[in-house]
mmCIF file of all heavy atoms in Angstrom:
data_model
loop_
_atom_site.group_PDB
_atom_site.id
_atom_site.type_symbol
_atom_site.label_atom_id
_atom_site.label_comp_id
_atom_site.label_asym_id
_atom_site.label_seq_id
_atom_site.Cartn_x
_atom_site.Cartn_y
_atom_site.Cartn_z
ATOM 1 N N ASP K 313 91.358 131.939 250.028
ATOM 2 C CA ASP K 313 91.777 131.292 251.280
ATOM 3 C C ASP K 313 91.195 131.951 252.432
ATOM 4 O O ASP K 313 90.663 133.119 252.368
ATOM 5 C CB ASP K 313 93.233 131.235 251.304
ATOM 6 C CG ASP K 313 93.872 132.623 251.366
ATOM 7 O OD1 ASP K 313 93.683 133.258 252.308
ATOM 8 O OD2 ASP K 313 94.542 132.979 250.277
ATOM 9 N N GLY K 315 93.118 132.615 255.025
ATOM 10 C CA GLY K 315 94.487 132.941 255.727
ATOM 11 C C GLY K 315 94.633 134.343 256.137
ATOM 12 O O GLY K 315 93.745 135.058 256.490
ATOM 13 N N LYS K 316 95.932 134.723 256.133
ATOM 14 C CA LYS K 316 96.442 135.969 256.657
ATOM 15 C C LYS K 316 95.709 137.213 256.201
ATOM 16 O O LYS K 316 95.575 138.159 256.903
ATOM 17 C CB LYS K 316 97.912 135.987 256.528
ATOM 18 C CG LYS K 316 98.647 137.208 257.170
ATOM 19 C CD LYS K 316 100.122 137.257 256.901
ATOM 20 C CE LYS K 316 100.711 138.474 257.382
ATOM 21 N NZ LYS K 316 102.150 138.461 257.075
ATOM 22 N N GLY K 317 95.455 137.152 254.864
ATOM 23 C CA GLY K 317 94.831 138.366 254.199
ATOM 24 C C GLY K 317 95.943 139.349 253.890
ATOM 25 O O GLY K 317 97.081 139.055 254.064
ATOM 26 N N ILE K 318 95.509 140.504 253.251
ATOM 27 C CA ILE K 318 96.412 141.432 252.721
ATOM 28 C C ILE K 318 95.998 142.833 253.252
ATOM 29 O O ILE K 318 94.779 143.227 253.184
ATOM 30 C CB ILE K 318 96.383 141.507 251.209
ATOM 31 C CG1 ILE K 318 96.638 140.052 250.587
ATOM 32 C CG2 ILE K 318 97.424 142.451 250.699
ATOM 33 C CD1 ILE K 318 96.388 140.008 249.105
ATOM 34 N N SER K 319 96.895 143.564 253.843
ATOM 35 C CA SER K 319 96.652 144.835 254.410
ATOM 36 C C SER K 319 96.298 145.853 253.300
ATOM 37 O O SER K 319 96.730 145.713 252.101
ATOM 38 C CB SER K 319 97.817 145.421 255.218
ATOM 39 O OG SER K 319 98.942 145.685 254.399
ATOM 40 N N ALA K 320 95.564 146.930 253.662
ATOM 41 C CA ALA K 320 95.170 147.935 252.699
ATOM 42 C C ALA K 320 96.372 148.625 252.046
ATOM 43 O O ALA K 320 96.412 149.013 250.954
ATOM 44 C CB ALA K 320 94.211 148.911 253.223
ATOM 45 N N GLU K 321 97.412 148.790 252.888
ATOM 46 C CA GLU K 321 98.687 149.413 252.451
ATOM 47 C C GLU K 321 99.333 148.552 251.381
ATOM 48 O O GLU K 321 99.999 149.142 250.419
ATOM 49 C CB GLU K 321 99.560 149.806 253.576
ATOM 50 C CG GLU K 321 98.984 150.801 254.580
ATOM 51 C CD GLU K 321 97.967 150.114 255.511
ATOM 52 O OE1 GLU K 321 97.916 148.879 255.596
ATOM 53 O OE2 GLU K 321 97.327 150.871 256.107
ATOM 54 N N LEU K 323 98.038 146.021 249.488
ATOM 55 C CA LEU K 323 97.240 145.462 248.392
ATOM 56 C C LEU K 323 97.523 146.164 247.082
ATOM 57 O O LEU K 323 97.636 145.410 246.022
ATOM 58 C CB LEU K 323 95.713 145.637 248.777
ATOM 59 C CG LEU K 323 94.712 144.949 247.841
ATOM 60 C CD1 LEU K 323 95.091 143.411 247.887
ATOM 61 C CD2 LEU K 323 93.344 145.219 248.275
ATOM 62 N N ALA K 364 93.776 140.981 242.805
ATOM 63 C CA ALA K 364 93.870 140.591 244.244
ATOM 64 C C ALA K 364 92.906 141.302 245.044
ATOM 65 O O ALA K 364 92.780 142.500 244.919
ATOM 66 C CB ALA K 364 95.243 140.849 244.756
ATOM 67 N N GLN K 365 92.122 140.554 245.880
ATOM 68 C CA GLN K 365 91.174 141.152 246.776
ATOM 69 C C GLN K 365 91.383 140.643 248.184
ATOM 70 O O GLN K 365 91.660 139.554 248.402
ATOM 71 C CB GLN K 365 89.724 140.842 246.277
ATOM 72 C CG GLN K 365 89.434 141.326 244.829
ATOM 73 C CD GLN K 365 88.091 140.828 244.403
ATOM 74 O OE1 GLN K 365 87.432 139.943 244.975
ATOM 75 N NE2 GLN K 365 87.633 141.272 243.174
ATOM 76 N N SER K 366 91.125 141.544 249.115
ATOM 77 C CA SER K 366 91.201 141.218 250.555
ATOM 78 C C SER K 366 90.510 142.261 251.368
ATOM 79 O O SER K 366 90.596 143.427 251.069
ATOM 80 C CB SER K 366 92.637 141.044 251.038
ATOM 81 O OG SER K 366 92.624 140.674 252.374
ATOM 82 N N GLU K 367 89.843 141.849 252.408
ATOM 83 C CA GLU K 367 89.080 142.787 253.268
ATOM 84 C C GLU K 367 89.981 143.239 254.406
ATOM 85 O O GLU K 367 89.628 144.009 255.222
ATOM 86 C CB GLU K 367 87.850 142.186 253.844
ATOM 87 C CG GLU K 367 86.765 141.824 252.769
ATOM 88 C CD GLU K 367 85.544 141.200 253.395
ATOM 89 O OE1 GLU K 367 85.414 141.169 254.604
ATOM 90 O OE2 GLU K 367 84.603 140.856 252.629
ATOM 91 N N GLY K 368 91.256 142.735 254.366
ATOM 92 C CA GLY K 368 92.203 143.225 255.461
ATOM 93 C C GLY K 368 92.884 142.001 256.036
ATOM 94 O O GLY K 368 92.617 140.902 255.726
ATOM 95 N N GLU K 369 93.833 142.375 256.936
ATOM 96 C CA GLU K 369 94.542 141.337 257.598
ATOM 97 C C GLU K 369 93.674 140.435 258.369
ATOM 98 O O GLU K 369 92.853 140.950 259.167
ATOM 99 C CB GLU K 369 95.617 142.065 258.468
ATOM 100 C CG GLU K 369 96.727 142.751 257.670
ATOM 101 C CD GLU K 369 97.908 143.165 258.496
ATOM 102 O OE1 GLU K 369 98.157 142.488 259.431
ATOM 103 O OE2 GLU K 369 98.452 144.175 258.208
ATOM 104 N N GLY K 370 93.999 139.104 258.277
ATOM 105 C CA GLY K 370 93.236 138.115 259.011
ATOM 106 C C GLY K 370 91.890 137.762 258.424
ATOM 107 O O GLY K 370 91.164 137.032 259.017
ATOM 108 N N LYS K 371 91.620 138.320 257.248
ATOM 109 C CA LYS K 371 90.287 138.046 256.619
ATOM 110 C C LYS K 371 90.406 137.322 255.327
ATOM 111 O O LYS K 371 89.498 137.350 254.437
ATOM 112 C CB LYS K 371 89.499 139.343 256.454
ATOM 113 C CG LYS K 371 89.241 140.084 257.732
ATOM 114 C CD LYS K 371 88.446 141.339 257.552
ATOM 115 C CE LYS K 371 88.101 142.070 258.913
ATOM 116 N NZ LYS K 371 87.335 143.252 258.727
ATOM 117 N N GLY K 372 91.534 136.712 255.116
ATOM 118 C CA GLY K 372 91.731 135.941 253.864
ATOM 119 C C GLY K 372 91.930 136.781 252.641
ATOM 120 O O GLY K 372 91.969 138.037 252.677
ATOM 121 N N SER K 373 92.178 136.119 251.531
ATOM 122 C CA SER K 373 92.443 136.814 250.200
ATOM 123 C C SER K 373 91.848 136.025 249.108
ATOM 124 O O SER K 373 91.480 134.889 249.167
ATOM 125 C CB SER K 373 93.956 137.060 250.088
ATOM 126 O OG SER K 373 94.582 135.747 250.019
ATOM 127 N N ARG K 374 91.655 136.707 247.928
ATOM 128 C CA ARG K 374 91.000 136.071 246.738
ATOM 129 C C ARG K 374 91.823 136.648 245.495
ATOM 130 O O ARG K 374 92.066 137.852 245.445
ATOM 131 C CB ARG K 374 89.622 136.509 246.592
ATOM 132 C CG ARG K 374 88.935 135.865 245.294
ATOM 133 C CD ARG K 374 87.497 136.255 245.190
ATOM 134 N NE ARG K 374 86.680 135.688 246.221
ATOM 135 C CZ ARG K 374 86.138 136.339 247.311
ATOM 136 N NH1 ARG K 374 86.468 137.662 247.491
ATOM 137 N NH2 ARG K 374 85.371 135.691 248.167
#
Side-chain angles (χ1 to χ4, degrees):
D313 61 67
K316 180 182 177 181
I318 308 169
S319 67
E321 295 77 16
L323 191 59
Q365 300 173 348
S366 179
E367 295 181 6
E369 294 189 32
K371 297 182 179 180
S373 58
R374 177 182 293 105

